[in-house]
Amino acid sequence: MRVVHQASPWRSLFHENGTLNTSALNAPLDHLFAKLFANHSSPHTSLAEAYAWQLPLVETLVHYDLPAWRISQIISDHNAHLYRQAIVLSQDEMQAQGWGAPPVDYCVLLLGSAARFESLLGPDQDNALIIDDYPDYRHVEIDGYFQALGERFTQRLDDAGIPLCHGHVMARWPMWRKRLSEWQAQLEIWSTDRQVKRVQQTNILLDFAPVAGNPALAAQLGESIALILPKASLFMDEMMALLDELPVALDRFGRLASSPGLDAPHEHAINLKHQGLLPLISAARLLCLRHGLRDIATRERLIALSHKADALTSTESALLVAAFERLQQRLLDQQRYNKSRGQVADGWVDLRRLREDERLLLKFDLQQIKRLSSSAQSGG
């Protein structure tokens, strides 16, 4: 079969007479939207159809030569739109069934990579719900409403193709659905000592972004985090210690190698998510918390840290930003490759698909991440 290589849209930016050729520039996206709406009388599609459209969208963005970190932001924006649609549909359904409007203000939070706007292909759900404070005697009524809302919108997302979180980090569960004052009290409890589980749960909560409802509630939660956690010395010590649970994909000789406990699919695979991105994300999160920075996205955290005299130098920050961008690129390239073959999009990367220069760069990037992790643990 003959492979036809499409020219980059940027090479079609001008007509021969020098005028701007916007139709050629927009053609790939116009074609994509035409396919999405072809079988529909209106631009309103089901959540499942909209989510299935995401992979062709990614392929189109690749055609525009966008880097993976930019594409991940667009994927995340699209997923946030699907969240909002699922919430609106669930509320409309509840209204029709006699539940009425939400009894008090609320805010649905994205957590993890979705909150950092760093989602790639095949994410699962991580979300939470802040409910405005209400008197205890109304708990059954009000929490019952939001439990039903949480169950419905998370199920809708699961049906669309964004699976339920296996770790139960979702608004449908009481652990991740609380009044604002209860979230603040929970932070006080989680931060009082060095219990591993509590620190892990707090780490999940630290990366959050409002997606629906009243964002002022999310802002108040952010204020509580900034006031409580940096002063909790035992908690911060355990947060540093937990970085040991996220070693980078290098052996003791500095060679690329996956941890044997991660059940690699074959001997040439390394888990770039768990042994590359997560150590970088976790170290940057810890340093920002320590230095009182409110940034959530990893790139913004690394850049913000370069403006703190005792955090990162501008050179260190630039190297780590470049490492983050390249790791995102490696993962997205592998996920697209897997998807094209009907395989799952996960965090594993096949080293056999990397050129020698790409392997050397990957090793260099992991060395920078290892250095950052050590600095974060030492209190740097």
Side-chain angles (χ1 to χ4, degrees):
M1 182 179 70
R2 184 186 174 198
V3 177
V4 179
H5 296 284
Q6 291 182 301
S8 167
W10 303 108
R11 297 296 300 277
S12 305
L13 188 58
F14 293 102
H15 290 291
E16 288 185 5
N17 63 4
T19 57
L20 194 63
N21 184 6
T22 55
S23 61
L25 184 64
N26 295 335
L29 283 173
D30 289 342
H31 176 69
L32 180 67
F33 278 91
K35 285 175 61 179
L36 177 64
F37 302 143
N39 299 318
H40 301 275
S41 57
S42 75
H44 300 292
T45 61
S46 72
L47 289 176
E49 290 166 328
Y51 185 64
W53 176 74
Q54 195 172 97
L55 183 57
L57 170 64
V58 169
E59 294 301 330
T60 300
L61 296 175
V62 169
H63 183 59
Y64 278 93
D65 303 318
L66 262 67
W69 68 271
R70 280 291 190 201
I71 293 176
S72 74
Q73 291 176 334
I74 296 171
I75 293 173
S76 301
D77 287 338
H78 187 240
N79 287 339
H81 167 72
L82 297 179
Y83 260 84
R84 286 188 286 269
Q85 289 296 104
I87 292 165
V88 168
L89 289 170
S90 298
Q91 286 183 325
D92 288 347
E93 180 182 75
M94 292 175 68
Q95 185 89 24
Q97 293 176 351
W99 287 81
V104 294
D105 261 0
Y106 72 95
C107 184
V108 177
L109 302 177
L110 298 172
L111 303 177
S113 61
R116 297 189 302 270
F117 287 83
E118 296 167 4
S119 295
L120 294 174
L121 299 174
D124 63 358
Q125 295 184 47
D126 288 300
N127 51 72
L129 209 162
I130 308 172
I131 307 169
D132 203 3
D133 285 326
Y134 57 82
D136 288 343
Y137 71 86
R138 296 189 65 191
H139 180 73
V140 173
E141 168 208 349
I142 294 177
D143 188 66
Y145 177 94
F146 288 108
Q147 178 182 346
L149 178 61
E151 289 174 350
R152 291 174 192 231
F153 86 74
T154 54
Q155 187 59 53
R156 275 190 160 85
L157 291 170
D158 182 65
D159 292 341
I162 305 177
L164 300 172
C165 174
H166 294 302
H168 306 298
V169 181
M170 293 176 292
R172 58 168 48 204
W173 301 108
M175 172 66 76
W176 299 99
R177 183 186 71 250
K178 302 179 191 296
R179 284 175 278 188
L180 179 62
S181 59
E182 290 172 325
W183 277 117
Q184 292 163 336
Q186 188 77 77
L187 283 168
E188 295 277 7
I189 294 169
W190 282 350
S191 62
T192 52
D193 54 29
R194 294 190 57 164
Q195 289 193 34
V196 173
K197 188 65 176 176
R198 289 178 176 177
V199 178
Q200 289 172 331
Q201 289 167 331
T202 309
N203 268 334
I204 294 170
L205 183 63
L206 286 177
D207 293 355
F208 72 88
V211 70
N214 185 355
L217 295 171
Q220 290 179 68
L221 178 62
E223 292 292 335
S224 297
I225 289 171
L227 285 172
I228 295 170
L229 295 188
K231 301 174 185 175
S233 58
L234 292 176
F235 172 88
M236 295 293 287
D237 287 346
E238 185 60 29
M239 198 171 170
M240 287 189 290
L242 280 177
L243 291 177
D244 287 333
E245 305 295 319
L246 295 168
V248 299
L250 297 171
D251 65 16
R252 61 193 183 97
F253 301 108
R255 298 172 301 197
L256 294 173
S258 191
S259 170
L262 291 178
D263 297 324
H266 52 79
E267 62 178 326
H268 302 286
I270 61 171
N271 196 310
L272 212 52
K273 177 181 177 181
H274 286 284
Q275 293 191 272
L277 277 177
L278 287 184
L280 173 58
I281 290 164
S282 299
R285 179 194 300 125
L286 171 58
L287 286 171
C288 281
L289 184 61
R290 182 183 294 152
H291 289 281
L293 298 171
R294 302 288 188 90
D295 303 85
I296 298 295
T298 304
R299 286 184 85 260
E300 280 67 28
R301 279 173 168 165
L302 294 170
I303 293 168
L305 286 166
S306 70
H307 300 299
K308 293 289 184 177
D310 53 346
L312 294 178
T313 66
S314 58
T315 299
E316 289 169 335
S317 171
L319 287 172
L320 289 163
V321 167
F324 170 76
E325 292 176 0
R326 282 192 287 262
L327 261 58
Q328 287 277 81
Q329 193 69 57
R330 299 276 175 266
L331 273 172
L332 182 62
D333 289 347
Q334 182 71 56
Q335 290 182 348
R336 290 173 53 229
Y337 179 86
N338 289 0
K339 284 283 194 178
S340 71
R341 284 154 179 77
Q343 300 168 359
V344 66
D346 54 23
W348 292 97
V349 167
D350 188 345
L351 292 177
R352 294 171 298 187
R353 298 190 64 248
L354 302 183
R355 299 188 309 264
E356 182 61 26
D357 62 315
E358 292 173 328
R359 290 192 189 200
L360 290 172
L361 262 178
L362 176 56
K363 184 166 72 171
F364 176 79
D365 290 340
L366 293 175
Q367 288 168 345
Q368 308 313 305
I369 294 168
K370 186 175 182 178
R371 189 173 294 118
L372 175 70
S373 184
S374 297
S375 174
Q377 285 184 300
S378 66

